[in-house]
Amino acid sequence: MPTPDKSSTIIELEREILRMLCDPGEEADGKSREQAILRLQAHSWRDAEHRIVFEAVSKLPGRNASELRHQLPAQTTRMGFPDMHWETYFASKTSSSTEGAKESNPNLETLIARLRAASREPAS
């Protein structure tokens, strides 16, 4: 079982990855989002809301980031979760960054690699 600090780091990494997947201003668009989703399929999400957001993003393939952001609330409502905290995932980078992201501004693939390492999941 992860230590509290490790769990907190994993949850922060999950949040930042999901924010990048949902943000039209970020690099995750089209193919890079689909590749990230494939790499994250086996991840055991520590936060239940993160799992729901990930599943919703996964169910809306091929959307550009603006369309995705517009359609995610309806998708989670259809999944039975109408009360999501979208401001967390649509927030600016400075308000939701992990400590490592503040230092080096990592890309999506780097964050996924950090998450897998922190979660002790095999690299793909």
Side-chain angles (χ1 to χ4, degrees), residues 69-80:
R69 188 174 180 160
H70 179 73
Q71 294 175 6
L72 278 169
Q75 179 62 38
T76 57
T77 297
R78 285 190 295 274
M79 293 167 57

Side-chain angles (χ1 to χ4, degrees), residues 5 7 18 21 25 30-32 34 36 39-40 45 51-52 54-55 60 64 73 75 85 97 99 101 110 119 124:
D5 288 336
S7 289
L18 291 169
L21 290 174
K31 191 173 184 176
S32 65
E34 289 175 21
R39 289 190 68 203
L40 292 165
W45 296 89
R51 180 186 51 78
I52 294 162
F54 177 74
E55 288 177 13
L60 296 169
N64 69 40
Q75 179 62 38
H85 298 101
S97 294
E99 192 169 308
T110 301
S119 302
S124 60

Side-chain angles (χ1 to χ4, degrees), residues 5 10 16 23 27 36 39 47 57 76 82 86 90 99 119:
D5 288 336
I10 291 170
E16 184 63 15
D23 189 345
E27 68 177 64
R39 289 190 68 203
D47 184 287
V57 170
T76 57
W86 291 111
F90 299 158
E99 192 169 308
S119 302

Side-chain angles (χ1 to χ4, degrees), residues 9-110:
T9 298
I10 291 170
I11 289 172
E12 288 175 18
L13 285 165
E14 288 179 353
R15 185 179 310 113
E16 184 63 15
I17 289 166
L18 291 169
R19 191 198 62 73
M20 289 180 85
L21 290 174
C22 296
D23 189 345
E26 290 293 340
E27 68 177 64
D29 207 12
K31 191 173 184 176
S32 65
R33 182 181 303 107
E34 289 175 21
Q35 290 172 346
I37 289 168
L38 288 173
R39 289 190 68 203
L40 292 165
Q41 286 294 327
H43 177 65
S44 178
W45 296 89
R46 301 305 195 275
D47 184 287
E49 185 171 285
H50 293 173
R51 180 186 51 78
I52 294 162
V53 171
F54 177 74
E55 288 177 13
V57 170
S58 299
K59 290 177 188 253
L60 296 169
R63 308 305 198 281
N64 69 40
S66 295
E67 289 175 357
L68 181 70
R69 188 174 180 160
H70 179 73
Q71 294 175 6
L72 278 169
Q75 179 62 38
T76 57
T77 297
R78 285 190 295 274
M79 293 167 57
F81 303 99
D83 297 322
M84 302 296 290
H85 298 101
W86 291 111
E87 63 279 358
T88 300
Y89 309 101
F90 299 158
S92 70
K93 190 169 192 106
T94 56
S95 66
S96 65
S97 294
T98 63
E99 192 169 308
K102 289 177 190 172
E103 293 172 9
S104 62
N105 195 22
N107 65 22
L108 183 58
E109 290 303 312
T110 301

